[in-house]
Amino acid sequence: MWGDSMANQAKLEIVGGRPLQGTITVSAAKNAALPLLAAALLTEEEVVFDNLPRIKDVEAMLEVIQQVGGTIRELEDGRWAISGRNLDASREVPNELVRKIRASNLLLGPLLARCGMAHLSMPGGCSIGSRQMDQHIKGFRALGCQDIAISGGYIKAHGPLPLQGTVIHLDVASVGATENIMMAATLAAGTTVIRNAAKEPEIVDLQNLLNKMGARIRGAGTDVIKIEGVKKLKGTSHSIIPDRIEAGTHLVAGVITNGQLTVKNIIPEHVEAVTAKLMEMGVKLEIGDDYITVFPHDWQLKAVDIRTQPYPGFPTDMQAQFMALLTLVPGISLITENIFEARFNQVPELNRLGANIKTENGTAFIKGVAKLTGAEVSATDLRAAAALALAGLAAEGKTIVENIQHLERGYEAFVEKYCQVGAQMRRITGS
Ligand code: EPZ
């Protein structure tokens, strides 16, 4: 759909040591686009998105949506129209397609709300952790889906139409479970209350879209969300919020290259945990209404400790990028990963570039070194890929990052954007 510029086996070649200079513009948020695309299936009318990010995860989600009868149309000006007019939950979705995109589990809510049934392959774990689904299932059961089970690698659910509004207290403030239950409850009879809900900005964007479609939801962004069920939802058009994780990645790129970089199309409030940590390290920032500029620091930076937390705490999706930066900051920094149990895959690869990182029981101990030196490294997941690319931008000499298809899952035009601000970076394919 969007060019296969980074086919499997694609690699990134980076010649490091050049301070980035200029402006990078952030695309729409992957982690908002995915649930919002699922939400479009809650109506028979068309929902038009005017800034869908052209990334692999969105492409895969659109494929899964077509498999369950959703219609997708690209309009002449690059906008996309999605509708659930022919939604059909009995259609079989190929296992390998669902496993390609974990977020396909966000179709469960809309399918149960519209069709009273869902039959999807379990997305399974990924390289960053076991990725449970028990909170999603708990929510659907509470809404009336007594017949819900995982068997043969599939999640099979049947429920009443409409579902029944109720109070659901989540044991974990799961982003995905909050989104799935919100979508399922929009067409339920009566009111649903989600307690201990996740508070991420992407959930607020989902509420805003659903309310424009005629839903009655309030409280997104807090840990209590109320959804008054309605009979029907309608079409609308929507602009997706900027990607706060892409924004954070670019800010770290500016700092790790000791450059002067302006990152545009940002909602500063969404990246406060990131900017607060950079300022704690001693980085000078200029924060505008929709942009943030980082300034050179000549490595007069100090070591810091980071603990990943649900929003508004420090995002787990920025952990690897900060680890790459802290490898070059004098002193000992600690990073404790509290959200995913296996999210230190970048550690051995950063150590190949000359970093000094040890891990123990979910904490990484990073001893700052004077420099990194280019080498061949391999990416295992989306954010680890970003961290290795940033380390390559700072390292002396040439770095080759393998398995770069991970990056294309979540970053639009990554190479193009960095070359525009002075990076020496290119894609290379083949063995
Ligand atoms: C979303 O994943 C994001 N993905 C992730 O971004 C992000 O890391 C994560 O939230 C946390 O912020 C999308 O939005 C598409 P969770 P999600 O359910 O919804 C446990 C990236 O790099 N849990 O909040 O899958 C789970 O095991 C990706 O862009 C349960 O125990 O995350 C994990 O430890 C990676 N039971 C924790 O909660 C459940 O039913 C957080 O998971 C659900 C989750």
Side-chain angles (χ1 to χ4, degrees):
M1 191 182 289
W2 290 323
D4 206 8
S5 53
M6 288 202 199
N8 285 348
Q9 310 322 320
K11 304 175 183 177
L12 206 51
E13 179 190 278
I14 307 166
V15 178
R18 305 157 70 111
L20 299 182
Q21 304 283 344
T23 300
I24 285 191
T25 302
V26 173
S27 302
K30 165 182 84 77
N31 291 347
L34 299 174
L36 272 64
L37 283 170
L41 299 180
L42 286 163
T43 176
E44 297 187 355
E45 298 174 18
E46 284 195 321
V47 174
V48 176
F49 294 102
D50 57 21
N51 60 344
L52 265 189
R54 292 174 178 262
I55 54 176
K56 288 286 176 205
D57 270 10
V58 165
E59 202 175 307
M61 190 69 162
L62 289 172
E63 281 174 66
V64 178
I65 283 174
Q66 284 180 300
Q67 290 288 331
V68 293
T71 56
I72 67 172
R73 234 165 29 92
E74 181 168 11
L75 309 181
E76 65 289 347
D77 54 7
R79 293 179 305 149
W80 285 81
I82 317 288
S83 104
R85 190 176 41 251
N86 309 322
L87 193 61
D88 176 358
S90 65
R91 288 167 66 155
E92 186 78 21
V93 182
N95 198 352
E96 65 283 1
L97 187 51
V98 171
R99 299 193 70 125
K100 210 162 76 177
I101 171 83
R102 259 201 65 71
S104 52
N105 65 7
L106 293 170
L107 295 182
L108 292 167
L111 288 168
L112 284 168
R114 291 269 325 272
C115 311
M117 68 169 281
H119 183 191
L120 277 181
S121 154
M122 279 290 281
C126 73
S127 57
I128 64 174
S130 60
R131 314 292 298 260
Q132 311 292 327
M133 287 273 304
D134 58 309
Q135 298 300 302
H136 300 244
I137 293 169
K138 174 179 179 171
F140 296 142
R141 275 221 172 90
L143 288 165
C145 289
Q146 296 318 319
D147 172 9
I148 181 165
I150 296 172
S151 71
Y154 278 77
I155 189 163
K156 298 175 183 164
H158 292 80
L161 277 180
L163 294 166
Q164 297 302 311
T166 183
V167 177
I168 299 160
H169 194 112
L170 294 178
D171 307 310
V172 182
S174 153
V175 173
T178 301
E179 293 166 341
N180 241 333
I181 296 166
M182 262 171 83
M183 291 188 277
T186 51
L187 297 175
T191 298
T192 299
V193 178
I194 308 174
R195 293 192 178 287
N196 191 28
K199 298 183 272 199
E200 273 66 5
E202 294 76 22
I203 292 171
V204 177
D205 205 20
L206 177 61
Q207 170 186 279
N208 295 343
L209 169 68
L210 289 167
N211 284 346
K212 280 200 287 187
M213 294 167 68
R216 290 209 199 109
I217 309 175
R218 55 193 189 286
T222 76
D223 57 7
V224 179
I225 300 177
K226 283 204 174 86
I227 306 113
E228 257 179 76
V230 297
K231 293 238 172 327
K232 218 169 173 335
L233 293 176
K234 62 182 193 288
T236 186
S237 63
H238 190 76
S239 285
I240 300 166
I241 56 172
D243 195 315
R244 61 192 169 96
I245 305 300
E246 182 196 345
T249 303
H250 299 331
L251 291 172
V252 172
V255 178
I256 205 170
T257 60
N258 195 24
Q260 175 159 339
L261 192 67
T262 296
V263 182
K264 249 179 51 178
N265 189 28
I266 286 188
I267 299 174
E269 183 202 337
H270 290 177
V271 292
E272 256 168 22
V274 167
T275 49
K277 200 47 75 175
L278 289 175
M279 290 192 275
E280 188 187 327
M281 292 165 67
V283 176
K284 195 165 155 306
L285 301 177
E286 181 184 304
I287 301 181
D289 293 346
D290 66 350
Y291 73 88
I292 297 177
T293 301
V294 299
F295 294 92
H297 45 74
D298 303 327
W299 296 105
Q300 302 310 306
L301 299 178
K302 64 182 179 61
V304 292
D305 296 348
I306 290 174
R307 295 176 191 79
T308 64
Q309 296 289 342
Y311 189 87
F314 190 92
T316 173
D317 297 345
M318 281 301 302
Q319 177 256 101
Q321 298 92 317
F322 263 76
M323 185 183 284
L325 171 58
L326 292 170
T327 62
L328 291 164
V329 173
I332 295 191
S333 300
L334 271 62
I335 295 184
T336 303
E337 175 54 56
N338 293 312
I339 308 294
F340 292 108
E341 68 277 13
R343 203 168 201 179
F344 282 156
N345 300 318
Q346 67 277 4
V347 170
E349 302 306 303
L350 288 171
N351 284 342
R352 285 174 62 81
L353 295 168
N356 179 346
I357 309 169
K358 293 186 179 54
T359 62
E360 201 175 311
N361 304 331
T363 294
F365 302 82
I366 304 140
K367 190 164 186 312
V369 296
K371 67 180 175 110
L372 297 177
T373 308
E376 283 224 12
V377 290
S378 184
T380 47
D381 61 78
L382 169 60
R383 307 305 172 182
L388 296 175
L390 298 189
L393 287 171
E396 280 180 8
K398 187 184 285 183
T399 295
I400 304 287
V401 183
E402 295 170 350
N403 293 329
I404 207 67
Q405 65 278 5
H406 291 294
L407 201 65
E408 204 181 26
R409 281 191 39 226
Y411 291 91
E412 185 175 43
F414 189 87
V415 174
E416 293 76 3
K417 288 186 181 184
Y418 278 98
C419 290
Q420 272 157 23
V421 291
Q424 202 173 337
M425 183 191 279
R426 68 189 182 105
R427 296 178 199 92
I428 51 177
T429 50
S431 52

